[in-house]
Amino acid sequence: SAVISQKPSRDICQRGTSLTIQCQVDSQVTMMFWYRQQPGQSLTLIATANQGSEATYESGFVIDKFPISRPNLTFSTLTVSNMSPEDSSIYLCSVIRTAYNEQFFGPGTRLTVL
Amino acid sequence: SQQGEEDPQALSIQEGENATMNCSYKTSINNLQWYRQNSGRGLVHLILIRSNEREKHSGRLRVTLDTSKKSSSLLITASRAADTASYFCATEKGGGADGLTFGKGTHLIIQP
């Protein structure tokens, strides 16, 4: 598997502010992903973060709202910008390991926007 | 329905009984993965089954895959209170190493 950590584990933020979430992996990986899980819902892919290139965003997600950095093969950040209460969710990063593309997830960041 | 949709959405059984959850998907897949999530925490990877496999076991878990019906099932035998969680199936969005599309999940409650 993979050891993946996220910071912060949770936060309560005010409307209009931004929060940057960090994802750290215990070894180098090519592909990292960011997901959102709204309350009581399933997970939705936000974007794919590859080192050395711009992130690829899924339909409904834009770079201005969710800028992503991938400075090296073990680290990525996701920023939730100009937050509103609708952004209250759990945000999770994931990586692919093994030849069969098993995907492993970090513990998540629980964000509440007031 | 969306790719990777589970049923039932909720399931409550007695401890010791078996729990079966089903997942359907729409497009061709290379593999299908099952995850567990306890109380809104991170996802725990349970098992990956490849498209050329029909059945796979891991401890008390048994996963089947029927590519002709585009469906998979997760069986938990001899359930325990600690199995109470939400269970999700997921498939790759593209043909290879890619982000995942998740089903809506099955919330499983094990009654002591």
Side-chain angles (χ1 to χ4, degrees):
Chain A
S1 64
V3 177
I4 307 170
S5 60
Q6 286 186 232
K7 289 181 181 180
S9 59
R10 60 177 60 222
D11 208 341
I12 301 173
C13 300
Q14 295 298 318
R15 180 195 301 258
T17 63
S18 298
L19 177 72
T20 295
I21 301 168
Q22 300 178 9
C23 179
Q24 179 77 52
V25 189
D26 64 338
S27 62
Q28 296 182 343
V29 293
T30 302
M31 302 178 76
M32 294 180 76
F33 305 93
W34 286 98
Y35 292 82
R36 179 178 73 182
Q37 185 177 29
Q38 295 176 300
Q41 303 296 313
S42 184
L43 282 78
T44 300
L45 180 67
I46 297 172
T48 302
N50 293 327
Q51 196 266 340
S53 63
E54 288 212 1
T56 304
Y57 289 83
E58 297 298 307
S59 176
F61 297 96
V62 295
I63 188 171
D64 290 345
K65 176 66 176 177
F66 298 101
I68 288 171
S69 78
R70 183 80 199 273
N72 57 54
L73 292 174
T74 63
F75 186 79
S76 178
T77 67
L78 169 77
T79 299
V80 186
S81 303
N82 188 25
M83 289 183 286
S84 67
E86 292 70 36
D87 294 319
S88 296
S89 297
I90 299 173
Y91 292 86
L92 303 100
C93 64
S94 72
V95 302
I96 287 179
R97 280 287 175 83
T98 81
Y100 301 121
N101 297 336
E102 288 178 328
Q103 197 159 136
F104 297 95
F105 285 78
T109 295
R110 184 181 292 270
L111 170 62
T112 301
V113 184
L114 303 178
Chain B
S1 62
Q2 55 181 308
Q3 183 94 334
E5 189 160 314
E6 292 92 337
D7 75 86
Q9 292 193 8
L11 179 62
S12 180
I13 61 174
Q14 294 295 122
E15 195 166 19
E17 294 180 339
N18 296 341
T20 300
M21 289 158 272
N22 302 298
C23 166
S24 62
Y25 57 92
K26 285 192 165 184
T27 62
S28 298
I29 60 171
N30 290 326
N31 59 61
L32 185 144
Q33 302 183 66
W34 284 91
Y35 293 87
R36 183 184 75 227
Q37 185 178 40
N38 294 83
S39 300
R41 298 177 192 167
L43 265 68
V44 174
H45 188 273
L46 295 177
I47 201 163
L48 178 149
I49 186 165
R50 289 174 283 165
S51 61
N52 62 354
E53 296 176 309
R54 292 297 167 257
E55 188 171 310
K56 202 164 182 179
H57 295 81
S58 177
R60 293 184 297 112
L61 305 180
R62 171 177 169 256
V63 169
T64 63
L65 180 64
D66 187 336
T67 53
S68 67
K69 295 181 179 178
K70 291 186 169 58
S71 67
S72 174
S73 68
L74 170 66
L75 168 67
I76 302 174
T77 61
S79 64
R80 306 167 181 170
D83 294 328
T84 294
S86 292
Y87 292 83
F88 297 92
C89 69
T91 56
E92 290 164 344
K93 294 179 68 66
D98 207 344
L100 299 176
T101 298
F102 280 81
K104 294 180 179 178
T106 294
H107 184 52
L108 175 65
I109 297 173
I110 308 299
Q111 306 276 7

